[in-house]
Amino acid sequence: MKTVFVTGASRGIGREIARKMANSGYSVAFGYLNNINAANSLNQELKKNNPNILPVKINLGSQESIQNAKKIIEDNLGSVDILVNNGAISQEKNFFEINNQDLDEMLSVNFKGPFICIQEFLPEMLKKNWGKIINISSIGGQWGGSNQIHYAASKAALINLTKSIAKNYSNKGINCNSVAIGLVKTDMSNKEIESSKGKEKIKLIPSGRIGTVEDVANIVSFLSSEQSSYITGQTINLNGGMLFN
């Protein structure tokens, strides 16, 4: 049985990814930061059909916290075979109002966190000559941001990290890919979706709708499977056609 670790899974996209993977028979460790109630409810839900579920408190801005999470997972479920770097933060803010603290926190959680997670979990994958790393990025990392430029920059860095890991470790049995999501209905995206700019974006989506958390979970499930063994270093554009529009 393969073990999956999904960061940022107390709500939204991460929660649905954890649910999808648990229902598919994987052992699932899922990370949360402060929302213990949401983590407990997900833990109870998933354990009804799968006993190999583990909520793990983790702060992606802290290397020590990431290392502690790794130890807890390995002590309870064994080494991680599939790492899903989903945990992230966003912030709507005018470019000239973004201060050093805003920038440091954005890059720390959205880029440095996944970077360190890969450093920590990749060695055990290399020992097995098998591993999947899936980074949840954003269309903002591809075409730039307007009112959250630091967020877009952090997601662009994550796409480049994906390519670099694939370039260095694909010949050692590691598949590393990113999923660049467009507008997906979550708590984190509600503010943008409800804004006037967000509503204009939605009108321009060729598919005629925003994405769902299930859309993202389905792609992650595929990239975690043997069916995707020849896909690496790629950015899967999950945006309903927004990018080419």
Side-chain angles (χ1 to χ4, degrees), residues 7-18:
T7 65
S10 64
R11 61 178 185 165
I13 291 170
R15 189 179 184 90
E16 188 59 32
I17 293 171

Side-chain angles (χ1 to χ4, degrees), residues 17-33:
I17 293 171
R19 181 181 288 120
K20 176 75 174 182
M21 301 305 280
N23 291 338
S24 298
Y26 293 92
S27 295
V28 177
F30 66 89
Y32 70 96
L33 179 56

Side-chain angles (χ1 to χ4, degrees), residues 43-218:
N43 184 41
Q44 292 171 7
E45 174 196 334
L46 300 184
K47 279 189 173 177
K48 290 178 181 177
N49 298 312
N50 185 338
N52 300 306
I53 306 297
L54 181 69
V56 183
K57 185 175 176 63
I58 183 171
N59 178 358
L60 293 174
S62 164
Q63 183 171 12
E64 181 181 4
S65 179
I66 293 171
Q67 291 172 336
N68 287 340
K70 175 176 179 286
K71 184 178 187 309
I72 291 169
I73 295 168
E74 291 180 346
D75 286 348
N76 287 274
L77 298 178
S79 61
V80 169
D81 303 288
I82 302 164
L83 171 65
V84 183
N85 282 314
N86 168 74
I89 58 173
S90 66
Q91 183 185 45
E92 294 273 342
K93 205 166 188 179
N94 178 276
F95 176 67
F96 291 105
E97 294 175 355
I98 296 170
N99 57 42
N100 284 338
Q101 183 177 345
D102 295 330
L103 183 59
D104 287 346
E105 185 176 9
M106 187 66 66
L107 293 176
S108 179
V109 175
N110 291 8
F111 176 68
K112 186 178 176 182
F115 189 103
I116 294 173
C117 280
I118 295 173
Q119 280 187 324
E120 292 295 330
F121 290 101
L122 179 59
E124 293 299 319
M125 296 179 185
L126 291 173
K127 289 179 183 178
K128 302 176 186 178
N129 201 42
W130 196 97
K132 304 277 191 175
I133 299 169
I134 303 159
N135 298 318
I136 306 300
S137 185
S138 166
I139 191 172
Q142 297 168 298
W143 68 7
S146 53
N147 204 36
Q148 41 182 336
I149 291 176
H150 50 339
Y151 171 83
S154 71
K155 291 299 189 177
L158 192 58
I159 290 172
N160 189 275
L161 175 63
T162 300
K163 295 177 181 178
S164 297
I165 295 300
K167 182 176 288 188
N168 284 278
Y169 299 105
S170 292
N171 65 347
K172 296 176 173 62
I174 309 302
N175 296 100
C176 184
N177 294 287
S178 66
V179 180
I181 61 175
L183 287 175
V184 177
K185 181 70 174 176
T186 65
D187 291 342
M188 196 167 82
S189 66
N190 271 345
K191 185 175 180 180
E192 180 182 7
I193 290 171
E194 294 301 323
S195 69
S196 57
K197 285 186 178 180
K199 290 176 181 178
E200 289 301 314
K201 284 183 185 178
I202 293 171
K203 291 178 183 178
L204 296 175
I205 298 175
S207 291
R209 68 172 177 89
I210 61 174
T212 67
V213 292
E214 290 83 6
D215 290 329
V216 184
N218 288 335

